[in-house]
Amino acid sequence: MNAYESGSELEPAVHAGDDPRAFASVLSAVHDAAMSGGRMPARPRGVIDDSWQRLRRAGLDPDVDCVGERTLQLDELEERRRRSGLAEVVDELARGLDSLIADGDNILVVSDADGHVLWRSGSSKVLTRADTLGFVEGADWAEGSVGTNAIGTALMSGRSVQVFSAEHFVRSHHSWTCTGAPIKDPRTGEMLGVVDVSGPAATIHPTTLALVHAVARLAESQLRESHHRRLDSLRAVAAPILARMPGPALAVDTDGWVAAVDTVSPRSRLILPPRLGPGRIFVNALGECDVEALPGGWLVRVAETSGASSTRVVVRVPAGPSGVGNVEVTVEGASGAWTHRCSPRHGDILTFLARQPDGVTAARMSTHLFGVDDRTVTVRAEMSRLRKHFGGLLVAGPYRFVDGVDVEVLDSED
């Protein structure tokens, strides 16, 4: 059975025993005939045929390389990395696929659900070659932008895909082969992105597809386990608070997933409004609710007739010349209070933000922390960690404590 006849879920572009060079020649003839409307010597595989038909209907020109026209700026790239949900599994993906990257012929790429390249790694040799194709961080490799490829076509088909030589719609990619597997959010089934291994066409191997597919599934398992750990941690904090609640209440993470409930019918998730902060909101099926911050989430209490509860954040700075050594942040609400002892850097950041109610840019925070304004990538990484713990109490654009929260800085001796 040749590569065109396989009907299995995992369908490699070539099989053991196939001659890649001879097969590449056949594919080139098939591609030329398909693009010119002539009679094809063989039919492309179903996933490739479907892709070609989509692209021809869309009017994509196989002789025009569009890569680089939609490359993200650094700020947007960092924001997409943060929002992708994939940052915590990038290292695991790299370890799982190290055997394919170690020889220096292949590049590892992780994209988001829109097909933008978020991370890539590989030898300088293969990275330089990828640069000539525009296969760089921030580049748009969605199928509609650059034609048939393992990232864009995996996103369109929802399945793991291997694309070899002239199976690529755009001719400038025919010297390349790529293998991609989608990574989905284990909580919702929604697409998060694609892990891809790419390299020169001569590096094609039928087992690559199975390995990339397996590593993507492992990444989904890791995301599922991380989600459960975060809910367990939130549940441990929320349980004693819920036990004291006089009325219905829930503890949810920052995405609305429920960790614990008290006198509320069980449910897996609440749909929360964007840019949620402490205060009163309307929640479908619950009505008016008061929201208070918890470590890594929110306490949602079905509101009483009285006014909305307020939230107070107290930043306690130790006395002494540095004033940031063991900063403690206490969050107080109607249902109680919790305290977080910060690392020196996080204490410095939170103290600075507490004293800047209008907020600060990443560049200004970089100047405060490092004396220069160009270490914004480090600043964004630190702020991302802080926002995971403090949830909606911290917002970006510029970085600041959310509106409606009373913030006070106290010396530890006060």
Side-chain angles (χ1 to χ4, degrees):
M1 178 167 55
N2 64 36
Y4 286 121
E5 297 171 346
S6 173
S8 62
E9 179 185 354
L10 290 180
E11 185 182 27
V14 298
H15 292 276
D18 289 339
D19 182 345
R21 290 187 179 182
F23 191 46
S25 179
V26 174
L27 288 174
S28 182
V30 171
H31 184 276
D32 289 344
M35 299 304 124
S36 64
R39 183 177 180 179
M40 292 184 289
R43 293 293 303 179
R45 292 183 294 139
V47 67
I48 301 300
D49 192 24
D50 290 346
S51 174
W52 287 3
Q53 291 188 41
R54 285 193 296 269
L55 296 168
R56 293 176 71 180
R57 287 194 298 268
L60 197 71
D61 190 337
D63 295 309
V64 175
D65 190 344
C66 301
V67 173
E69 295 184 1
R70 301 177 181 85
T71 301
L72 303 175
Q73 297 298 313
L74 179 60
D75 285 355
E76 187 177 359
L77 173 62
E78 290 296 331
E79 179 62 16
R80 281 181 175 265
R81 285 173 171 171
R82 187 188 67 79
R83 296 200 320 259
S84 69
L86 294 172
E88 64 182 288
V89 296
V90 169
D91 290 342
E92 189 69 25
L93 293 169
R95 283 191 292 270
L97 295 170
D98 182 67
S99 61
L100 300 178
I101 310 302
D103 61 7
D105 289 328
N106 291 299
I107 180 175
L108 171 68
V109 169
V110 179
S111 84
D112 65 10
D114 295 322
H116 286 97
V117 175
L118 300 184
W119 296 274
R120 68 173 196 167
S121 61
S123 69
S124 57
K125 177 183 69 174
V126 73
L127 290 176
T128 299
R129 185 162 184 174
D131 289 345
T132 66
L133 292 174
F135 208 23
V136 298
E137 290 180 347
D140 180 2
W141 276 73
E143 192 182 75
S145 299
V146 299
T148 310
N149 72 93
I151 291 176
T153 304
L155 290 172
M156 290 297 296
S157 66
R159 58 184 285 193
S160 299
V161 176
Q162 188 171 50
V163 181
F164 171 60
S165 186
E167 290 183 324
H168 290 90
F169 187 83
V170 177
R171 283 191 172 89
S172 60
H173 302 165
H174 287 187
S175 63
W176 209 249
T177 186
C178 50
T179 304
I183 301 174
K184 298 181 180 180
D185 189 330
R187 304 169 301 177
T188 64
E190 295 177 357
M191 191 74 71
L192 296 177
V194 172
V195 57
D196 168 270
V197 173
S198 296
T203 65
I204 183 74
H205 197 283
T207 62
T208 300
L209 181 62
L211 180 56
V212 174
H213 177 83
V215 169
R217 302 292 76 75
L218 288 173
E220 291 175 348
S221 295
Q222 181 178 342
L223 290 172
R224 183 182 299 107
E225 291 169 2
S226 295
H227 173 62
H228 290 161
R229 285 196 299 269
R230 287 192 293 269
L231 288 185
D232 288 343
S233 178
L234 177 57
R235 188 176 300 115
V237 173
I241 297 175
L242 289 174
R244 298 193 302 268
M245 289 290 96
L250 308 88
V252 302
D253 71 7
T254 53
D255 294 319
W257 294 98
V258 177
V261 301
D262 184 64
T263 64
V264 176
S265 59
R267 64 200 68 206
S268 61
R269 189 180 190 185
L270 286 183
I271 303 302
L272 301 175
R275 300 184 72 88
L276 176 65
R280 181 158 291 187
I281 64 170
F282 181 84
V283 178
N284 285 336
L286 293 179
E288 294 289 328
C289 294
D290 288 326
V291 176
E292 300 175 28
L294 292 174
W298 300 104
L299 177 68
V300 180
R301 297 186 297 112
V302 176
E304 301 174 351
T305 55
S306 59
S309 62
S310 62
T311 295
R312 180 171 179 252
V313 176
V314 179
V315 180
R316 288 186 171 82
V317 180
S322 67
V324 295
N326 288 308
V327 169
E328 290 187 349
V329 178
T330 300
V331 180
E332 302 172 351
S335 304
W338 54 274
T339 298
H340 175 69
R341 181 173 292 228
C342 304
S343 68
R345 176 170 291 176
H346 283 179
D348 193 357
I349 291 172
L350 291 171
T351 304
F352 189 56
L353 290 178
R355 289 170 171 159
Q356 307 291 330
D358 294 329
V360 299
T361 64
R364 188 176 174 194
M365 182 63 76
S366 173
T367 300
H368 170 74
L369 293 174
F370 308 111
V372 293
D373 65 2
D374 59 358
R375 295 190 59 181
T376 55
V377 172
T378 302
V379 168
R380 292 189 183 92
E382 296 290 1
M383 289 303 304
S384 179
R385 295 185 186 100
L386 277 169
R387 291 175 70 188
K388 283 183 179 179
H389 188 81
F390 287 97
L393 288 175
L394 298 172
V395 295
Y399 293 121
R400 65 192 189 282
F401 281 94
V402 69
D403 295 338
V405 174
D406 296 325
V407 183
E408 185 177 4
V409 180
L410 297 177
D411 290 334
S412 59
E413 58 189 24
D414 289 353

